[in-house]
């Protein structure tokens, strides 16, 4: 089954590619806007529609019942298939996986982490990805596989996130320090889960969102091979 993709290309030179993984509400307007922002920064952005096997809905942010039902239908194998399809689409656009980053939000942050243990990409960033101590979607816990990271990984977390205790974040910090690639974790003292989404006023934290975005672009700039992306091997 072919994975539907939202794909947005830069108007000028391409620095590399980025796979953008959705939150629990589908490929929302916010996720599309994130793709546009990456494209404005020079990255060909593709967002795989992970709910496509369930009709590809886009949910309201207060419809947690439907979100949890859709999440319950996801499997690690299907998610990996969709991520691989997005990476393949970028490869078809002449962007090597080493020139490709992955970034995810909420459940997408979990996916970005596990992709970083499975594929050798340029960079990975997780915004408040759960499943630190207990696995999700059939993936092991992040703590269990932290040492297997093969892609440089940055984790961004809010201390007020009710679903990801700071104690677990610090355990993860210690665990990823043993990975054979660069890793970093940043905590925002006043941020809640979903702090990057400016379409959710109840949880949006402008200061944390701006800092997290700047760190994401810096992480990409450090680890994505822009020389290869430019086709000047």
């Amino acid at each position: 089954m072919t994975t539907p993709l939202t794909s947005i290309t830069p108007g000028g030179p391409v620095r590399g590619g980025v796979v953008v993984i959705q939150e629990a509400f589908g490929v929302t307007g916010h996720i599309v806007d994130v793709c546009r922002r990456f494209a404005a920064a020079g990255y060909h952005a593709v967002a795989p529609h992970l709910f496509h096997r369930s009709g590809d809905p886009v949910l309201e942010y207060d419809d947690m019942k439907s979100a949890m039902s859709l999440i319950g239908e996801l499997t690690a194998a299907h998610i990996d298939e969709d991520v691989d399809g997005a990476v393949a689409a970028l490869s078809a656009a002449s962007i090597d996986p080493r020139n490709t980053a992955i970034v995810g939000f909420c459940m997408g942050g979990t996916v970005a982490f596990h992709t970083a243990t499975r594929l050798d990409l340029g960079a990975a960033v997780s915004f408040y990805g759960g499943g630190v101590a207990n696995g999700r979607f059939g993936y092991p816990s992040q703590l269990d596989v932290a040492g297997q990271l093969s892609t440089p990984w940055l984790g961004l977390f809010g201390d007020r996130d009710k679903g990801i205790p700071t104690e677990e974040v610090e355990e993860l910090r210690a665990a990823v320090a043993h990975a054979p690639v660069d890793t970093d974790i940043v905590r925002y003292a006043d941020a809640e889960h979903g702090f990057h989404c400016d379409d959710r006023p109840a949880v949006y934290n402008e200061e944390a969102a701006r800092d997290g975005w700047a760190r994401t672009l810096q992480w990409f700039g450090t680890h994505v091979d822009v020389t290869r992306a430019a086709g000047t091997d």
Side-chain angles (χ1 to χ4, degrees):
M1 180 181 293
T2 302
T3 304
L5 302 172
T6 291
S7 178
I8 301 179
T9 58
V14 178
R15 290 175 55 84
V18 56
V19 178
V20 179
I21 307 296
Q22 67 184 61
E23 298 172 296
F25 307 100
V27 180
T28 60
H30 173 67
I31 295 299
V32 174
D33 182 60
V34 167
C35 290
R36 291 195 185 103
R37 292 172 64 184
F38 278 126
Y43 295 93
H44 181 168
V46 293
H49 293 226
L50 301 187
F51 291 158
H52 68 97
R53 297 174 184 83
S54 301
D56 201 15
V58 175
L59 305 178
E60 299 295 330
Y61 288 115
D62 60 357
D63 191 1
M64 286 305 302
K65 181 178 179 180
S66 296
M68 294 307 294
S69 176
L70 288 164
I71 289 172
E73 295 174 13
L74 291 174
T75 68
H78 283 156
I79 293 170
D80 291 349
E81 180 181 307
D82 293 340
V83 171
D84 290 350
V87 173
L90 290 170
S91 293
S94 300
I95 301 173
D96 189 272
R98 291 168 296 178
N99 309 131
T100 295
I102 184 167
V103 60
F105 303 85
C106 180
M107 58 167 270
T110 307
V111 173
F113 182 92
H114 286 287
T115 301
T117 70
R118 190 175 62 85
L119 300 180
D120 183 12
L121 301 178
V125 179
S126 295
F127 281 77
Y128 34 86
V132 174
N134 297 289
R136 294 181 173 178
F137 317 124
Y139 291 122
S141 75
Q142 294 179 40
L143 290 175
D144 285 341
V145 295
Q148 299 175 26
L149 285 167
S150 56
T151 293
W153 175 79
L154 169 66
L156 305 171
F157 297 91
D159 285 0
R160 295 187 178 182
D161 191 325
K162 298 178 179 64
I164 309 175
T166 56
E167 295 81 5
E168 290 186 6
V169 174
E170 289 307 310
E171 287 182 54
L172 185 59
R173 187 194 303 275
V176 299
H178 299 288
V181 292
D182 286 347
T183 63
D184 195 13
I185 285 179
V186 178
R187 288 170 44 194
Y188 298 101
D190 297 322
E192 301 182 40
H193 191 80
F195 67 77
H196 187 264
C197 184
D198 52 3
D199 283 343
R200 302 175 67 186
V203 296
Y204 176 59
N205 183 305
E206 182 177 4
E207 183 177 353
R210 287 183 181 275
D211 186 78
W213 184 258
R215 289 177 184 272
T216 296
L217 293 181
Q218 183 179 38
W219 195 255
F220 287 8
T222 299
H223 295 288
V224 173
D225 187 341
V226 295
T227 300
R228 290 184 183 277
T232 56
D233 282 352

